[in-house]
Amino acid sequence: MKKIITQISEIMSRAFADCGYDAEYGAVTVSNRPDLCQYQCNGAMAAAKKYHKAPVLIANEAVAAADGAEIFTATAVAPGFINITLNSEFLANYVFAMGGAESFGVEPAENPKTIVIDYGGANVAKPLHVGHLRPAVIGESIKNILRYRGHKVIGDAHLGDWGLPIGLIITELKRRQPELPYFDPDYTGEYPKEAPFTVAELEEIYPFASQYSKEEGHEEYRDAARRAILDLQKGNRGYHALWEHIMTVSMKDLKANYEDKLNVHFDLWKKESDAQPYIPDMIDGMNKGGYTRISEGALVVDVKEESDTKEIPPCMILKSDGATLYNTTDLATIVERMKLFDPDQIVYVVDKRQDLYFEQIFRCSRKTGLVKPDTELTFIGFGTMNGKDGKPFKTRDGGVMRLETLVGNIDDEVLAKMADRDFPEEEKRQIAKTVGLAALKYGDLSNQASKDYIFDIERFTSFDGNTGPYILYTMVRIKSILAKLGTIPEAVKTAAVRERGAAETALLLTVTRFADTVEKAEAELAPHKICQFLYELADNFNGFYHANKIVGEPDEAKRNEWITILRIALAIFGDGIRMLGFEAPDRM
Ligand code: ARG
């Protein structure tokens, strides 16, 4: 569907052109004085300068020439603004047409892209903690928004499974249980199918080993861990079997957390190790292309550019001891992604403190030709989730909070808020989970991703204000009105000629801005735009609800229109919250 603002802009542009002025002066914006009008055109003010004529005269001419009578009323006001208000029936009809349109009038992208989005980054053998919340929540929403516009999106978990942590776990296991067959070099039989540890044990082993290796006098332990990694890479059978156990046990747990607790679904569960086979050829190519040089024994690629205002250090490819690094893996992952998916764009949702790092990676991959010249590489850096003290969010005793604990706390808070509801206990718990997830995700997504924000459990779970539960509460209110009606009349297609009050008009106007909102959220990869829209929609719906008796309205034509509007608004709410990555209960 053609957007209303586009329709008005076209008419006004034609009007300006017909009067002999540049058509571009007809551009229309949403009014910044909603008390006066809905849209405005300020072109006459600018045209006045060029044509040396009083702006109000130009505005008057344009208004007289505009043939938009079916759509709007335009009024020129001093000193030269044009105030535009939609005809009530046009506005209502537009909303009714949205109800019958695919995706409520959101057009599919003209040139759908293939986009890989990298938004997991959890590390195996470590529990998911609050640090993993933001990439998962933001990335999932960006993925949904892009899909809504028809792009082909591949979400990749890109798990950290490479490097020292694995070596440490192997070393610690060997210290604790040297009798296991994995450590017997003469063992030729099959290894046990069952892992010699549970996920809980694994989560205890890693931090223990990490701490132990850093302590005084444990150099030998540290060396053993490094050697274990090398042996693993060289194909040590026993270590490889252990590594597979670590992966199986850990992945199962990570999947359960991402999917069941966070409603986050990756299409790909790739790991850093999957990129390793691409490294030798990649480095070979970089060397042959003459892009590399040796700096203090290390292999590096210079990535600074003349226009830089700050120092951008070279991108290191190999350490002086020949070992690969985090950089090498990310570059090789780009090679892998280009080979597997040939994407038009790769989006990274990673802590904003890694922005310089990604600048190096992006420049290096462009310079060395790992990507095509027109492959877009996009870094969405997110800010920190802080506690109420303004410092990074921690548990009460200063530790890192597990994601499960955080989610559990939110659910409990919502449950407490619903104490007076006499729903069956099990249903209540289920609702609390649904509402809790909305509180958590909306609390995060309603902020611009790059900003730090304060995790405020009371505010996030409040049923009032700019919160997830408020959006859900509004949806539940609409659902209950519709349920009260019993039978739902057929959707109205043509609006009656009648007076529409301020609250109804405000609601209709907000609904019409859905497509524009989705397009902006997509262009800027900005879920907070969807939040803003849903909040406005909820507020305007509630304003309308309080101003009118919907079910009791005696005028049937009017009531049927209202029911149609309710259904459309509810469906748009539904698509909106699904883009944010949560669902609504039937009651709460
Ligand atoms: N595993 C990394 C960490 O814990 C985050 C990975 C982010 N993604 C990436 N492609 N580098 O810091």
Side-chain angles (χ1 to χ4, degrees), residues 118-123 126 132 158-160 272 326 330 333 337 348-351 354 357-358:
D118 178 321
Y119 68 107
N123 301 311
K126 292 192 217 171
H132 298 119
H158 193 71
L159 300 179
E272 291 181 7
Y326 185 49
D330 261 318
T333 305
R337 287 176 179 155
Y348 294 83
V349 185
V350 180
D351 192 309
Q354 293 192 28
Y357 166 78
F358 275 99

